[in-house]
Amino acid sequence: MANWALRPGAVVVVATACLLVSSGELSVDRGVAVTEPVSSVADVDSAARAPRASTATGALFADGSHFCSASVVDSPAGNLVLTAAHCVNGGSAGLSFAPGYHDGIAPYGWWTVTAVAVPGGWAASADPDLDFAFLTVEQDGDPHSVQQLAGADTLGFDRGYTNPVTITGYPDTGDSPVACRNTTTRFGPYQQRIACPGFPDGTSGGPWVTAVNPATGDGTVIGVIGGYEQGGDTPDVSYSAYFDHDIRDLYRSVLH
């Protein structure tokens, strides 16, 4: 669900692995409408709402406008951001990330995207089962990392297809995020789906977070809006590639 004309250009592809981590989770240290869990799209509209969003989630910008969503993911250097691969087909040139962005304000500043890593299968054929990417970001003159300032989600994998999650994204028609809580379901062998209303163009790359800390909004990210039909062909149902060894290996590779 990216409102972005995909540009031709080089994409950094990395594909090695050498970091040992515990199975199922990758970790190093460490005012939004939210709909409660419901059983169907029809039920979501009448669900209760409560404010809470992670400052680790933000908007991706190009040419002065946001077009996709992304979130900080825990890493040793604190400089990694997760999004959908279809959001960054043109590489890193001209892209910036604003964590916690709302109402035209970037409370943690603007972070320049300096590198993009996508799976080889996405680079070769835009495989929707591999629609995820890691971005390296930096901010000139700031000794702190984006993770130190905005927080971060832990990367989770092989968590199964049925999980309670909060999804968050930035519709391209507004300057504040929308969020929804519901339970994921399986959609094919390597895809997952969730019924949540109000996730149109611009929300692609938004994180699917489980085990959310109510104080911070951070948790374990197990998906991003993308995959089937680049996130879905209706704003009321979103999709994600299933996070398994493919994203684990890509994550490991960008750390080295």
Side-chain angles (χ1 to χ4, degrees):
M1 297 183 185
N3 186 18
W4 180 245
L6 300 181
R7 302 166 295 168
V11 177
V12 178
V13 181
V14 287
T16 59
C18 53
L19 176 69
L20 295 178
V21 295
S22 59
S23 176
E25 186 169 289
L26 295 173
S27 181
V28 180
D29 295 329
R30 232 192 109 71
V32 178
V34 181
T35 51
E36 297 295 338
V38 292
S39 59
S40 70
V41 174
D43 293 337
V44 172
D45 295 321
S46 61
R49 295 177 178 269
R52 192 57 200 162
S54 169
T55 55
T57 301
L60 275 179
F61 284 76
D63 300 323
S65 299
H66 62 86
F67 65 96
C68 268
S69 305
S71 59
V72 185
V73 66
D74 187 53
S75 68
N79 63 351
L80 279 189
V81 173
L82 174 66
T83 190
H86 74 260
C87 289
V88 291
N89 270 13
S92 63
L95 301 186
S96 60
F97 172 63
Y101 182 77
H102 66 91
D103 303 312
I105 301 169
Y108 303 101
W110 303 89
W111 296 77
T112 301
V113 178
T114 60
V116 170
V118 301
W122 174 268
S125 62
D127 184 346
D129 296 336
L130 299 171
D131 192 2
F132 44 78
F134 290 105
L135 317 180
T136 302
V137 300
E138 65 178 27
Q139 188 179 70
D140 289 341
D142 196 328
H144 301 97
S145 69
V146 66
Q147 180 172 332
Q148 288 175 312
L149 296 177
D153 295 315
T154 299
L155 180 63
F157 61 95
D158 287 334
R159 292 301 187 92
Y161 292 89
T162 305
N163 294 280
V165 299
T166 297
I167 66 171
T168 307
Y170 285 80
D172 60 7
T173 55
D175 280 332
S176 292
V178 294
C180 175
R181 283 194 293 259
N182 206 347
T183 299
T184 62
T185 58
R186 185 169 184 164
F187 181 76
Y190 302 109
Q191 295 276 327
Q192 50 191 337
R193 69 185 289 277
I194 189 169
C196 275
F199 283 77
D201 289 344
T203 58
S204 280
W208 298 26
V209 182
T210 192
V212 176
N213 182 328
T216 65
D218 298 337
T220 299
V221 58
I222 60 171
V224 295
I225 297 176
Y228 174 72
E229 295 290 339
Q230 296 191 353
D233 52 11
T234 166
D236 294 335
V237 179
S238 296
Y239 299 82
S240 170
Y242 181 66
F243 280 13
D244 57 12
H245 65 279
D246 289 309
I247 194 167
R248 178 198 64 194
D249 293 347
L250 182 63
Y251 175 85
R252 289 172 170 175
S253 70
V254 299
L255 301 183
H256 298 278

